[in-house]
Amino acid sequence: MAMGTDLALLRLLQLVSPGLPIGMYSYSQGLERAVDDGWVSNATEAGEWIGGLIDSCMACIDLPILARLYDGWEHNAEERIIYWSQILIACRETAELRAEDRQTGQALARLLDALALTKMQPWIRHPEATLATVFSFAAVNWGITQRETLIGYLWSWLENQVLCAVKLVPLGQVAGQRLLMDLAGKIPVLVDEALSRADADIGGSAFGLALASSRHEMQYSRLFRS
Amino acid sequence: MSLNNQAAVKSEVLGWQASLNLSFAATSEKTLLVKRQHVGPLTVQRPFYPEGDGVCHVYILHPPGGIVGGDCLAISVDAKAHSHALITTPAAGKFYRSSGEQAMQIVEINVAENAAVEWLPQETIIYQGARLKSVVKVNLAATARFIGWEILSLGRPASNEGFDYGLADLHWQIYYQNKPIFLERLQLDAKAFAARWGLQGFSACGTLFATPASSESLVAVQSLIGDTKGRGVTRIDNVLVCRGLDNRTDTLRHFFEQVWAIVRPDMLQRNACAPRIWAT
């Protein structure tokens, strides 16, 4: 079955590529405002910011919900998929963060529909189409394992945040790659924890992120949509 | 007041077990506090009507004055159709340092059709080393209106005390017609207190929620904020969420009172009427 797993790996690489046309590069998730407010001004501070968001948001919200959405698609349990997608959207702290999740989720649904995964057609305008909702559908469909789905999702979020930091702080390319090396090292443990997290323990928030993103909504001049 | 429930239940292991259930109902003239059941040291004063019409103002009292590890407080508020209640407290709430056990405070607020609840407690002081879990769950009917805030003061900045240990697990959950529309869980420990993604070492932080808030309210709050640092506002569908960080709790509270004075006329067609107890 080497060919099957090889193909699954290739599909995962395609799904997490910054070249995936869902517009990820236009969202900074509050980092643009954090830089503007002087909260993040060098590589160390960028690492602290991004690492903190991984621990306090991604690890306790996105990853465990992504795991549940994956299960939902595997069992074709539409109610569960909607339920967890609603929870995920409700955990986004600002209008911009919600808009980002819906826009990227719907864009991925549109792309998958165009790639003949027509089951995604109704999700193109679905209010509950978060990125994790559609990402997990693609992963199940392409035979990517649940664990690798979580790893890939977090990696693609991390790479996007680091690319934003390189552009905004700004950081040198090597400094950016060093950040990726450091922060990616946390991913395997966090994925293990997320896979064993109980429903009641899902939820998180970073006050600084919520504040930065709220302030980004009224930032006068900006490059990013979040 | 239900006298038969007045015996406070205090156990060595569990600390104070206190609960308070309030129900408000509208009559043609005013909103009445139609039910108040309490167990343990958690009560309300006689309601009053400082706005000269039907809005029922209520102060929740917690005579012990502070919450320690093992304490468990539960408050429920039920606003029936067309009622309007404003609930506050006469003094700051306090969570004291714990020797290990967690303190719990659970608040559930149900707002029925055309009813309005304003949940505006004074600030909560969380001492260094406190361990607590606090949950505020708001259930809104389709035409319900709600304004609420939570203002926290961490450590004791006047004595140069920060929040180097302790854990506050703070949940806010807003449901609209049984669907979750806002879920937040702040886990404040030494790291989150100091971090740039957390409270950045500021001792005061707060969040105000108002729904349904108009886009005009959003614009008005944005212009109130202007260039002020440490303040932010967003409007998620029609839930306005305003956040602030500050060195001083009184400054932050003053800011939230100004925000309240913007959203209240817009949502409830009445000007802000600050409870007199806030000034004392």
Side-chain angles (χ1 to χ4, degrees):
Chain A
M1 283 307 289
M3 208 177 98
T5 54
D6 286 350
L7 256 189
L9 172 61
L10 288 162
R11 299 296 185 231
L12 178 62
L13 293 175
Q14 184 173 356
L15 197 54
V16 304
S17 164
L20 192 77
I22 59 168
M24 274 307 290
Y25 59 85
S26 58
Y27 301 97
S28 85
Q29 300 200 349
L31 186 57
E32 181 168 32
R33 186 67 203 222
V35 170
D36 201 65
D37 276 349
W39 300 352
V40 175
S41 58
N42 57 43
T44 309
E45 291 172 3
E48 193 203 302
W49 179 268
I50 299 168
L53 300 191
I54 289 179
D55 291 339
S56 57
C57 302
M58 300 301 289
C60 15
I61 305 171
D62 292 61
L63 292 187
I65 292 180
L66 183 65
R68 283 156 177 78
L69 290 167
Y70 184 100
D71 283 338
W73 287 117
E74 260 199 324
H75 298 95
N76 238 324
E78 173 124 359
E79 253 178 55
R80 247 154 72 199
I81 293 162
I82 301 273
Y83 173 83
W84 285 110
S85 301
Q86 277 177 357
I87 300 266
L88 182 55
I89 283 279
C91 287
R92 303 291 183 220
E93 296 100 328
T94 66
E96 269 190 8
L97 293 173
R98 287 192 195 201
E100 166 182 346
D101 210 347
R102 290 196 173 110
Q103 285 159 5
T104 52
Q106 292 171 351
L108 183 56
R110 197 174 304 116
L111 174 67
L112 295 176
D113 179 54
L115 296 174
L117 298 182
T118 51
K119 204 174 167 188
M120 280 294 98
Q121 218 274 330
W123 289 86
I124 294 174
R125 281 181 194 80
H126 202 298
E128 257 75 63
T130 70
L131 182 59
T133 313
V134 184
F135 190 98
S136 55
F137 168 80
V140 169
N141 197 74
W142 288 333
I144 300 164
T145 66
Q146 187 186 45
R147 188 182 159 77
E148 281 162 352
T149 301
L150 268 60
I151 291 174
Y153 179 94
L154 183 50
W155 164 259
S156 94
W157 176 88
L158 171 61
E159 185 175 27
N160 186 61
Q161 281 280 288
V162 170
L163 291 177
C164 289
V166 166
K167 206 180 289 182
L168 289 166
V169 175
L171 304 175
Q173 295 295 341
V174 174
Q177 292 301 311
R178 202 174 289 127
L179 263 186
L180 275 177
M181 293 285 284
D182 289 349
L183 293 167
K186 294 155 75 101
I187 292 179
V189 173
L190 292 173
V191 166
D192 285 337
E193 283 170 10
L195 285 169
S196 60
R197 191 173 277 259
D199 286 2
D201 291 331
I202 291 177
S205 189
F207 200 90
L209 165 70
L211 193 59
S213 175
S214 302
R215 291 173 63 72
H216 188 261
E217 290 177 14
M218 51 183 186
Q219 188 168 333
Y220 180 64
S221 140
R222 50 195 190 167
L223 298 169
F224 290 83
R225 297 169 76 182
S226 76
Chain B
M1 197 174 294
S2 53
L3 291 165
N4 55 340
N5 281 332
Q6 276 196 346
V9 184
K10 168 98 176 161
S11 108
E12 289 275 314
V13 188
L14 291 168
W16 291 105
Q17 303 301 310
S19 68
L20 179 67
N21 299 319
L22 304 175
S23 278
F24 298 91
T27 64
S28 55
E29 282 164 25
K30 59 183 182 180
T31 293
L32 298 176
L33 175 56
V34 292
K35 186 178 96 178
R36 46 176 154 180
Q37 286 180 328
H38 78 107
V39 174
L42 200 52
T43 59
V44 282
Q45 280 187 339
R46 193 166 56 84
F48 51 107
Y49 299 86
E51 302 192 42
D53 62 1
V55 180
C56 184
H57 285 224
V58 163
Y59 298 164
I60 294 183
L61 307 177
H62 181 237
I67 302 173
V68 300
D71 282 357
C72 181
L73 269 63
I75 297 170
S76 78
V77 174
D78 206 5
K80 299 190 188 305
H82 298 277
S83 65
H84 183 175
L86 185 154
I87 301 164
T88 186
T89 53
K94 295 186 183 81
F95 284 95
Y96 292 118
R97 186 168 65 84
S98 163
S99 50
E101 277 192 279
Q102 192 184 48
M104 287 268 279
Q105 178 170 286
I106 295 178
V107 176
E108 179 154 352
I109 300 169
N110 299 305
V111 194
E113 297 294 346
N114 295 300
V117 169
E118 297 175 84
W119 175 257
L120 306 171
Q122 299 204 38
E123 68 269 22
T124 301
I125 301 167
I126 300 178
Y127 286 77
Q128 172 160 276
R131 301 184 67 79
L132 62 121
K133 178 176 179 175
S134 160
V135 180
V136 181
K137 184 178 182 189
V138 183
N139 299 304
L140 301 169
T143 54
R145 291 156 297 163
F146 175 76
I147 303 174
W149 69 33
E150 181 164 76
I151 302 168
L152 303 173
S153 175
L154 281 103
R156 282 178 299 177
S159 346
N160 233 341
E161 179 186 295
F163 198 74
D164 295 337
Y165 61 106
L167 177 63
D169 185 12
L170 308 163
H171 301 244
W172 262 87
Q173 305 169 344
I174 304 177
Y175 286 76
Y176 179 72
Q177 296 186 288
N178 300 316
K179 185 185 150 182
I181 57 167
F182 187 89
L183 301 173
E184 186 170 271
R185 180 189 192 184
L186 268 183
Q187 287 189 285
L188 297 178
D189 57 10
K191 198 174 168 193
F193 174 71
R196 54 197 76 247
W197 51 265
L199 302 191
Q200 306 175 352
F202 285 104
S203 60
C205 80
T207 307
L208 175 148
F209 303 92
T211 184
S214 67
S215 53
E216 288 79 13
S217 279
L218 175 69
V219 171
V221 177
Q222 284 176 334
S223 63
L224 170 70
I225 292 173
D227 293 329
T228 317
K229 290 192 187 306
R231 305 278 189 270
V233 65
T234 184
R235 183 169 160 266
I236 300 165
D237 300 322
N238 58 17
V239 184
L240 182 132
V241 185
C242 183
R243 296 178 171 91
L245 276 180
D246 210 292
N247 283 318
R248 295 184 59 105
T249 310
D250 53 351
T251 312
L252 189 58
R253 194 169 122 182
H254 177 67
F255 166 71
F256 283 125
E257 285 180 37
Q258 289 176 297
V259 175
W260 180 53
I262 290 172
V263 294
R264 196 180 204 234
D266 185 37
M267 282 171 52
L268 302 167
Q269 291 74 51
R270 53 178 66 242
N271 289 324
C273 170
R276 209 173 297 163
I277 195 88
W278 290 358
T280 57

